[in-house]
Amino acid sequence: FCSYNLKNWLLMDRTFNKTGKLTGKPEKEKVKVIEFLKAIHPDVLGVCEIGTDQDVADLKKRLLDAGLDYPYTERAHGGDVTRSLALLSRFPIVARNSQTSLNYQLGELTLPMQRGILDVTVEVNPDFKLRCLGVHLKSMRTIPEADQALMRRNEAHLLRKHVEGILKASRGARDGPRARGVPAAPARRRRDRARRPRLGRSGRRLPGEGEPARPDLPRLRPPARRPRAARPRRPGRAFHAFRVRPLGGRPRPPLLRP
């Protein structure tokens, strides 16, 4: 998988003084992008800052000419009709859940999520499916409508809500009612704690701990600790005498050291 910012592969006013003339991405820049993607050679490619379906078709054709075939595509957009998200895949797309009409409240303003959320599931093989999410949050460029940092924070909050909904649905489908928020009964929790085996100082389970209760069998107890045997003292060693002669002085008396 590769995520790549195409940096405005779309029609826009690229003049310095904004004359209103719409032009596409320069040809030399498109050629460089195709060279980079060919070197990466991804199986699934997610891109941002792409325009309409015609721009996605143009990118797809150029990649095919370079030897990269992506027969399955998805494009998602939000409140910004100019810039979109897209995903190109070698593997079939088996589920689509892109969010294109998300809104949030910022004071008295109701603002849309600029590029939406791209959400697809790709079937890599019959035993493995990969769910891919793509976002491109509001840029740090200031705008007169609202504070760009607050806009980006609210868009991130919408993304979090979407991801939490996916995880909640996934846990519910996999684990049943326990994962859908139904807590375990208090008695069951106490019983589970009572079944936990006690551990000794060494970290090992004590004898009889963690085994099913059998009223017909006596309960095993850990063996009593035996007193540690006294360590035999080693025989004393002989003492050796040696002299230390200081520099320029009289010899000192011999010292005894084991």
Side-chain angles (χ1 to χ4, degrees), residues 146-217:
D147 181 75
Q148 49 87 16
L150 291 179
M151 294 176 65
R152 190 163 53 253
R153 182 180 298 178
N154 280 271
E155 290 186 352
H157 180 66
L158 292 175
L159 172 62
R160 176 176 176 174
K161 289 178 60 177
H162 183 70
V163 173
E164 287 178 346
I166 294 174
L167 296 178
K168 184 177 180 180
S170 176
R171 288 195 299 267
R174 184 179 64 249
D175 299 333
R178 177 75 176 273
R180 290 196 290 268
V182 180
R188 181 175 179 179
R189 288 198 295 266
R190 288 195 299 268
R191 186 169 64 251
D192 292 342
R193 285 196 296 266
R195 290 178 178 176
R196 295 175 185 172
R198 293 185 301 170
L199 303 180
R201 293 185 178 181
S202 62
R204 297 181 179 180
R205 187 173 63 183
L206 298 177
E209 292 295 331
E211 300 175 0
R214 293 285 302 276
D216 55 330
L217 296 179

Side-chain angles (χ1 to χ4, degrees), residues 68-127:
L68 303 177
D69 186 15
Y70 299 105
Y72 307 99
T73 60
E74 167 79 356
R75 186 177 75 89
H77 62 86
D80 185 357
V81 296
T82 304
R83 294 168 181 83
S84 305
L85 304 167
L87 183 135
L88 298 86
S89 173
R90 291 180 49 238
F91 309 109
I93 297 176
V94 296
R96 304 172 189 263
N97 189 30
S98 297
Q99 306 295 311
T100 59
S101 57
L102 297 176
N103 299 312
Y104 59 91
Q105 198 74 20
L106 196 59
E108 298 181 354
L109 296 176
T110 301
L111 300 176
M113 189 170 183
Q114 293 293 308
R115 286 101 190 196
I117 301 176
L118 188 146
D119 184 357
V120 298
T121 302
V122 177
E123 186 179 53
V124 179
N125 56 55
D127 299 326

Side-chain angles (χ1 to χ4, degrees), residues 236-242 255-258:
R237 292 180 297 176
F239 287 83
H240 304 278
F242 60 93
L255 301 177
L256 296 180
R257 180 172 295 181

